[in-house]
Amino acid sequence: MADQLLTAAIDHREVGRQLASMCGVELDSIASQDARLWEARGQALQALAAGDMDGALRTMGLVSSRIMDRYEAWEIASNAVAVRTAAGWTRDMLISSTESGRAPCGRGYYLFCSGAIAVCYFPMVCITDMNGRGYHFHIAQDLLNERDPSPYAIGRPTLPQQLEMFR
């Protein structure tokens, strides 16, 4: 219990500074971007100590320079949609859902939100968390291959049988 209070009382920047000094790195003598990485490591360590693995992964993902490949993101997104479609989800259910989780393949995380799906290497709370390190796809247009009709399309009756009923 005392360890938990001590861990919560210590600022993540100080934990990062201690981690860096244990590795022989002096934060005052390195670039500010590298110093922020050590501070993020301190914050991630505190999240792990509290039992929050997703929080630790999110923290490290936000400072990571690792970018997901578009093909890999497409595969994860299309598989997530296919699994839900096979389970009986409708188009409207897919578009209106807000759900996130780890991809079954274990290579990334997804987030359904506002008619889109975002995919990256770390858990997200909102689509902007991926911030250029992943991809997002519009569910209806990109994954279900629905296209809006052209505004210049000629409208013709699609069911002439209905017109015959009104003679």
Side-chain angles (χ1 to χ4, degrees), residues 58-118:
R58 187 172 27 261
T59 298
M60 292 311 296
L62 291 173
V63 295
S64 171
S65 60
R66 186 175 177 201
I67 299 172
M68 182 172 271
D69 177 60
R70 182 170 174 79
Y71 175 76
E72 184 178 19
W74 175 265
E75 184 180 330
I76 291 171
S78 61
N79 286 341
V81 169
V83 164
R84 282 155 185 77
T85 303
W89 285 40
T90 64
R91 172 193 182 279
D92 292 334
M93 290 169 68
L94 283 168
I95 290 174
S96 64
S97 73
T98 302
E99 177 187 349
S100 64
R102 187 177 181 104
C105 62
R107 294 186 318 241
Y109 292 83
Y110 62 86
L111 170 69
F112 284 92
C113 184
S114 303
I117 181 170

Side-chain angles (χ1 to χ4, degrees), residues 30-50:
I30 62 174
S32 62
Q33 182 179 0
D34 294 332
R36 281 193 298 271
L37 181 60
W38 281 103
E39 291 170 359
R41 288 177 178 147
Q43 188 175 4
L45 183 63
Q46 285 183 319
L48 285 173

Side-chain angles (χ1 to χ4, degrees), residues 106-135:
R107 294 186 318 241
Y109 292 83
Y110 62 86
L111 170 69
F112 284 92
C113 184
S114 303
I117 181 170
V119 181
C120 67
Y121 286 124
F122 53 91
M124 297 165 282
V125 175
C126 63
I127 287 183
T128 56
D129 282 352
M130 70 175 179
N131 197 21
R133 291 183 217 90
Y135 288 91

